C-alpha cells in the first residue's frame, strides 16, 4: 500500500503545472539599485540586487491544492514595500494580460519595477499597474 501511495505522489507531481516568475528592474540606479528578497513558505529565492534593465526569474511547480504563494520585499533608496507576486489571482491576471484563455502546462508572469510602482504582464506587451511604492 505504501508503494502505491508513493507511486501516486510521483505521478501527481509530474502532472502538476509549473510557473515562472520574472522580475524586471526599470528603476534608476540612483539613489541605489533595486534590492529584493522573494520567498514562499517552502522556498527562499534569496536577496538580489538588480541594476536598471536586469531581471531575476525562478520556476516552480504549483501546489496541487492551489495554495502556492510567493511574495517579495523590494527596497529602492528610502522606499520599501512587500506584496504577493504569485498566487491564483496573480496567475489569472497574467493569463488574462497575456491573452491566454485556457491553462497551459507551464505559465509565466512578468513583473516590472518602475519609479511609480509595480506592473504585471503575461507577455511583456500589455502591462497593468498593481502596486505603488509607498
Amino acid at each position: 500500500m505504501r508503494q502505491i501511495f508513493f507511486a501516486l505522489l510521483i505521478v501527481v507531481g509530474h502532472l502538476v503545472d509549473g510557473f515562472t516568475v520574472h522580475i524586471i528592474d526599470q528603476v534608476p540606479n540612483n539613489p541605489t539599485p533595486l534590492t529584493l528578497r522573494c520567498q514562499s513558505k517552502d522556498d527562499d529565492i534569496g536577496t538580489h540586487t538588480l541594476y536598471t534593465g536586469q531581471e531575476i526569474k525562478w520556476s516552480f511547480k504549483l501546489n496541487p491544492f492551489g495554495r502556492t504563494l510567493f511574495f517579495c520585499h523590494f527596497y529602492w533608496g528610502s522606499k520599501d514595500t512587500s506584496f504577493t507576486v504569485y498566487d491564483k489571482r496573480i496567475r489569472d491576471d497574467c493569463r488574462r494580460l497575456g491573452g491566454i484563455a485556457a491553462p497551459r502546462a507551464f505559465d509565466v508572469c512578468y513583473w516590472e519595477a518602475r519609479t511609480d510602482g509595480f506592473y504585471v504582464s503575461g507577455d511583456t506587451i500589455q502591462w497593468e499597474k498593481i502596486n505603488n511604492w509607498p
Side-chain angles (χ1 to χ4, degrees):
M1 182 69 160
R2 189 177 208 182
Q3 291 173 329
I4 293 171
F5 175 74
F6 286 116
L8 183 59
L9 279 179
I10 291 170
V11 169
V12 169
H14 288 291
L15 297 176
V16 174
D17 291 343
F19 206 88
T20 299
V21 172
H22 294 253
I23 298 178
I24 305 162
D25 177 14
Q26 293 299 344
V27 298
N29 295 327
N30 293 321
T32 62
L34 180 70
T35 299
L36 59 112
R37 180 177 182 199
C38 300
Q39 61 192 90
S40 72
K41 181 181 131 195
D42 301 316
D43 298 302
D44 188 342
I45 306 306
T47 301
H48 299 271
T49 299
L50 301 180
Y51 292 87
T52 306
Q54 289 184 324
E55 76 173 83
I56 181 174
K57 69 177 180 176
W58 69 94
S59 298
F60 51 92
K61 291 277 192 177
L62 303 180
N63 177 303
F65 304 106
R67 295 187 189 123
T68 305
L69 183 143
F70 274 89
F71 65 94
C72 294
H73 198 132
F74 296 88
Y75 309 88
W76 179 50
S78 63
K79 299 177 181 183
D80 73 89
T81 189
S82 60
F83 56 87
T84 300
V85 296
Y86 178 85
D87 63 9
K88 287 173 73 173
R89 181 185 58 83
I90 298 290
R91 179 201 62 202
D92 293 344
D93 286 346
C94 289
R95 286 178 178 165
R96 176 181 51 81
L97 290 166
I100 309 301
R104 299 178 292 190
F106 213 90
D107 281 323
V108 64
C109 195
Y110 299 90
W111 284 94
E112 200 167 77
R114 301 181 188 175
T115 56
D116 68 331
F118 296 86
Y119 293 75
V120 68
S121 175
D123 59 9
T124 70
I125 296 169
Q126 184 178 349
W127 295 90
E128 185 174 291
K129 188 175 183 181
I130 300 290
N131 289 306
N132 292 309
W133 286 103

